[in-house]
Amino acid sequence: SHTTFIDITPPAAPRGVEIFAGGELIEVFWIDNTERDLAGYNVYVSLNPQGNFKLIGSTRTAQFVDQGVENGRTYYYAVAAFDFDGNESNLSIDALGATPRPEGRDVALLDYRSNPNRSGYDFSTYSIGLYNDKYTDIFFEYSNSIPYMDVWDDSDIQDMGYTGSLDEIRVAPESGWAPTKDVRLITGHTYLVWTWDDHFAKFRVLSVLPQRVVFDWAYQLQEGNPFLKHNTRQLAERG
């Protein structure tokens, strides 16, 4: 007689879950399980870190991109592994949250003295405008052969130094803001802005000339939320 072996042992719950929030998307990464009969992973999302998770997709690899998200809302993710017999693990232990935020590329501002209508930028409406408009967050100044980005007295700005990309700066610090309300612009540096209405933004200078600066930017829609990128695993570890 034949003995039929029925596998009822689920894989271990996935570990090392990390998330990265972009513009209208969130990427989820985790450490690959090692079970020989591993078939794939189910990815769950919730608007509440405590539960009510809903299945949004499956994948064979240890990463998943959720493109069904809105900028400005916080989403929480958990991952389960399953084997070829359909046994599913518990959800990953920590449900991590991320808030997708808008971002833009190749914005060009001109010096506010010579081109006042093209010198200011408002992150909340993604628009170039007058340097002293009440909604303007930052404006470009070229003074005594030095390029600056300025903010008004109700805002703050600081230089975070050279970065290889805009994504390297993940969270706004609590201190370090420039008392002069301006920063000297250097190609390759990323700068943080704390806006007058309590939002955080960042921009990275691509090029700077006497009458023009070009930068990439990202903006956090949630008031008071300092996270501009949520990812603690380095890119090199993704393999």
Side-chain angles (χ1 to χ4, degrees):
S1 63
H2 290 289
T3 301
T4 303
F5 175 73
I6 301 175
D7 178 11
I8 58 171
T9 303
R15 296 178 300 112
V17 177
E18 302 289 353
I19 49 183
F20 163 65
E24 296 187 330
L25 64 83
I26 294 177
E27 295 179 76
V28 188
F29 300 89
W30 56 93
I31 298 170
D32 249 326
N33 278 40
T34 56
E35 292 88 356
R36 290 187 175 185
D37 62 345
L38 182 78
Y41 305 91
N42 288 328
V43 181
Y44 295 82
V45 69
S46 174
L47 297 177
N48 181 344
Q50 307 307 321
N52 196 24
F53 284 90
K54 295 178 180 174
L55 179 66
I56 54 166
S58 301
T59 174
R60 292 180 179 274
T61 62
Q63 64 183 76
F64 184 84
V65 179
D66 184 3
Q67 294 182 305
V69 296
E70 298 174 30
N71 285 337
R73 297 189 77 177
T74 300
Y75 298 82
Y76 297 89
Y77 293 85
V79 184
F82 61 89
D83 63 22
F84 287 106
D85 290 301
N87 300 305
E88 185 178 18
S89 75
N90 292 328
L91 293 179
S92 50
I93 296 172
D94 295 318
L96 297 180
T99 310
R101 75 288 181 278
E103 57 189 21
R105 309 222 171 268
D106 300 321
V107 173
L109 298 184
L110 307 179
D111 178 55
Y112 86 95
R113 290 185 181 87
S114 53
N115 290 277
N117 293 320
R118 298 273 307 162
S119 62
Y121 199 72
D122 174 13
F123 292 110
S124 65
T125 58
Y126 329 144
S127 59
I128 296 171
L130 192 65
Y131 75 99
N132 60 355
D133 181 277
K134 68 177 182 178
Y135 295 112
T136 291
D137 294 314
I138 57 176
F139 62 97
F140 178 55
E141 173 186 12
Y142 190 76
S143 176
N144 296 321
S145 301
I146 298 174
Y148 296 96
M149 194 71 82
D150 301 341
V151 296
W152 293 103
D153 287 344
D154 55 5
S155 302
D156 283 296
I157 193 167
Q158 69 172 292
D159 183 356
M160 300 300 290
Y162 179 81
T163 62
S165 75
L166 187 65
D167 286 336
E168 285 184 27
I169 304 300
R170 293 174 20 233
V171 61
E174 295 181 9
S175 60
W177 305 100
T180 55
K181 302 293 182 179
D182 62 28
V183 288
R184 183 170 181 167
L185 295 176
I186 301 170
T187 300
H189 280 221
T190 293
Y191 302 84
L192 287 182
V193 180
W194 190 356
T195 69
W196 57 276
D197 54 352
D198 196 23
H199 291 259
F200 291 95
K202 60 182 175 179
F203 65 92
R204 181 175 182 271
V205 174
L206 302 177
S207 66
V208 60
L209 300 168
Q211 296 296 327
R212 172 186 169 103
V213 62
V214 181
F215 58 87
D216 293 341
W217 62 270
Y219 174 72
Q220 177 52 263
L221 287 171
Q222 286 189 336
E223 187 174 326
N225 184 344
F227 280 97
L228 292 154
K229 175 184 184 227
H230 200 132
N231 176 37
T232 51
R233 187 188 303 184
Q234 297 301 310
L235 287 171
E237 289 181 22
R238 292 180 185 170

